[in-house]
Amino acid sequence: MSADTTRLAILGGPKARATPLPGRFAFGDPEFAAVQEVFAYYKAKGIDFGYQGYFEERYCQNFVSYLGVGGFADAVATGTGALYVALAALQLPRGSHVLVSPITDPGTLSAIILNNLTPVLLDSMPGQYNSGPEQLRARLTPQTRALVLVHCAGVAAPVDDMVAIAHERGVKVLEDCSQSHGAKWKGQKVGTFGDIAAFSTMYRKNHATGGCGGVIFSRDENLYRLVRAHADRGKPFWREGYNDKDPKQFLFPALNWNLDELSAAIGISALHKLDGVNRRRRDFLRAFSDELRTHSELCTPSPVTDNDAPFFFPIFVDATRLQCTVREFGEAVGAEGVSVNPHYDYVVSEWDYLKPHCADAFATPNAVAVRDGSFNLLFNENFGPTEARDLAAAIAKVEHHYRKT
Ligand SMILES: Cc1ncc(COP(=O)(O)O)c(C=O)c1O
């Protein structure tokens, strides 16, 4: 007897996609060779590798060239550290209000709070994961000193207008580009609009320096110097006569957020691949979106543009025509062998532990609604036409089961 292929996997039926999805292998032969190069380079020099060395210098230069507007970069140990150091370098008065996007990683919020600053949540634009100018204007007050603007899921926020609004009021802008490496707004790369930018380069990000990592970018040399000092125990490396063996010269207490040379070398290799990674991700999502539009009536893929550097991919579901919640729908899709996050729990206003730290109890209804109306497809640049077909078919199977008749 043949299995009933329409029976949902979550109810004991066969998976729509039975074969494993393609692995990513962000760290492959080129990254292995890059690490070996570090060993060879330092062996030839007769010293051990450490940090703030030749490979970090090269990585940071490559990163600045990649963003394409000049400036300075410092590689650090994590994305959370990058945000923390970038905010510290802005030297905001204790207790300053910092506006922040509503959907992000806890690291973004922790970086604000642990700098003795007070987060003030923005809402997102209706139907979008990112905030926009209207949401910014609604929450600016005379106490606002900075905006931490997240470019969520590989899609640029309308950053030019938001920076203009902020700067009119003397408000500094830190762009959190962790999920949007190489994404563009009006053809210009994110990270180059604000005063300073932070990128997580942990292993899942579109370009990665290893298991953990981060980069800070600024066009302002003075800010860059403060970044370097805040990332490495207050060291004033730019001062004449600077001696890193003389802590009497150091400027202030600061933690050690250095990235090591091995990670920097991996980053050099990964950065070379980034545009190709982003292109392949867009190609896959376009093919998948075409399939989904053909086979589904209730699911709408997010738009994909040439400006995007897709990280995860929200798919919107018409809940009014479903017999289940969007979360249950996403879970059923996941059971079919599709990698999904059925319910993106990174809506900051919902985290109880954070509430005492925020300036007020702002509810971010747009952010909640956009999350509740979507589930996220998780994918990588090795997904191709077969996955586009299989994953759309899996979603159509679930939709067929749960749609209202
Ligand atoms: C938007 C955003 N900000 C900050 C972080 C924190 O970065 P990390 O995990 O490298 O500390 C991440 C990801 O993890 C992120 O996606």
Side-chain angles (χ1 to χ4, degrees), residues 357-376:
H357 299 281
C358 290
D360 57 17
F362 189 60
T364 71
N366 293 344
V368 171
V370 74
R371 187 277 318 277
D372 285 347
S374 60
F375 69 94
N376 292 330

Side-chain angles (χ1 to χ4, degrees), residues 78-80 83 104-105 107-108 150 176 178-179 200-202 205 213 311:
T78 66
T80 302
L83 288 155
T104 189
D105 183 87
T108 316
V150 179
D176 182 347
S178 298
Q179 298 186 0
S200 163
T201 57
M202 52 82 89
K205 296 298 167 12
F311 178 54

Side-chain angles (χ1 to χ4, degrees), residues 34 49 91 98 114 203 208 219 223 251 257 376 378 395-396:
F49 56 80
Q91 298 184 299
V98 176
L114 294 177
Y203 70 101
R219 284 202 252 191
L223 261 184
L251 301 177
W257 287 106
N376 292 330
L378 310 177
I395 292 169

Side-chain angles (χ1 to χ4, degrees), residues 5-298:
T5 53
T6 63
R7 190 173 163 81
L8 294 191
I10 207 165
L11 302 174
K15 284 184 182 181
R17 166 80 187 206
T19 45
L21 293 165
R24 182 174 180 212
F25 305 114
F27 309 128
D29 290 342
E31 290 68 37
F32 188 51
V35 166
Q36 288 175 312
E37 195 190 334
V38 178
F39 276 82
Y41 176 87
Y42 283 100
K43 188 175 177 190
K45 278 187 146 345
I47 55 174
D48 286 322
F49 56 80
Y51 57 87
Q52 300 285 10
Y54 169 72
F55 290 90
E56 181 177 347
E57 185 64 34
R58 264 178 61 197
Y59 173 62
C60 290
Q61 278 171 9
N62 290 0
F63 193 82
V64 169
S65 308
Y66 180 78
L67 291 186
V69 295
F72 308 88
D74 187 32
V76 292
T78 66
T80 302
L83 288 155
Y84 178 82
V85 167
L87 277 168
L90 291 175
Q91 298 184 299
L92 303 172
R94 215 182 160 84
S96 295
H97 284 194
V98 176
L99 298 174
V100 57
S101 302
I103 304 180
T104 189
D105 183 87
T108 316
L109 275 295
S110 296
I112 297 171
I113 294 160
L114 294 177
N115 269 299
N116 298 307
L117 304 168
T118 304
V120 179
L121 297 183
L122 299 178
D123 204 352
S124 63
M125 295 181 281
Q128 299 195 38
Y129 276 67
N130 282 330
S131 295
E134 207 180 300
Q135 292 71 38
L136 170 60
R137 278 205 195 86
R139 297 285 280 161
L140 275 165
T141 71
Q143 285 160 285
T144 312
R145 293 283 171 274
L147 161 67
V148 182
L149 178 64
V150 179
H151 300 285
C152 206
V155 178
V159 57
D160 55 347
D161 286 349
M162 295 178 82
V163 170
I165 294 165
H167 281 177
E168 243 169 53
R169 306 274 203 111
V171 168
K172 300 282 185 199
V173 180
L174 162 58
E175 291 178 73
D176 182 347
C177 306
S178 298
Q179 298 186 0
S180 295
H181 300 186
K184 295 179 199 142
W185 177 254
K186 296 181 182 168
Q188 183 180 330
K189 292 204 172 102
V190 300
T192 61
F193 290 87
D195 299 280
I196 194 162
F199 297 70
S200 163
T201 57
M202 52 82 89
Y203 70 101
R204 284 198 302 271
K205 296 298 167 12
N206 289 22
H207 105 279
T209 51
C212 272
V215 199
I216 302 155
F217 170 80
S218 180
R219 284 202 252 191
D220 178 334
E221 186 167 16
N222 195 41
L223 261 184
Y224 163 69
R225 287 174 170 173
L226 288 168
V227 160
R228 286 278 304 267
H230 277 286
D232 194 3
R233 290 158 281 183
K235 295 177 185 174
F237 74 94
W238 63 92
R239 291 222 169 132
E240 221 168 274
Y242 164 65
N243 172 7
D244 75 349
K245 300 273 181 304
D246 180 8
K248 291 193 294 299
Q249 296 184 355
F250 296 6
L251 301 177
F252 39 69
L255 299 173
N256 175 356
W257 287 106
N258 282 307
L259 190 76
D260 69 84
E261 287 284 87
L262 292 174
S263 300
I266 291 173
I268 294 169
S269 174
L271 194 57
H272 281 135
K273 300 194 295 197
L274 177 56
D275 280 341
V277 165
N278 286 339
R279 184 178 33 72
R280 286 164 63 198
R281 286 179 172 230
R282 290 191 300 267
D283 286 349
F284 162 71
L285 288 177
R286 285 185 168 120
F288 166 74
S289 299
D290 286 347
E291 294 282 347
L292 191 63
R293 279 188 286 262
T294 306
H295 297 290
S296 160
E297 280 177 32
L298 308 190

Side-chain angles (χ1 to χ4, degrees), residues 306-353:
D306 286 342
N307 282 325
D308 301 339
F311 178 54
F312 60 79
F313 190 60
I315 297 170
F316 294 87
V317 191
D318 182 354
T320 63
R321 295 168 66 193
L322 279 185
Q323 299 173 49
C324 65
T325 63
V326 174
R327 182 200 285 252
E328 286 161 345
F329 186 91
E331 284 165 356
V333 171
E336 296 296 333
V338 180
S339 44
V340 295
N341 186 338
H343 196 252
Y344 200 60
D345 280 321
Y346 289 73
V347 176
V348 179
S349 59
E350 296 180 338
W351 309 339
D352 283 342
Y353 78 90

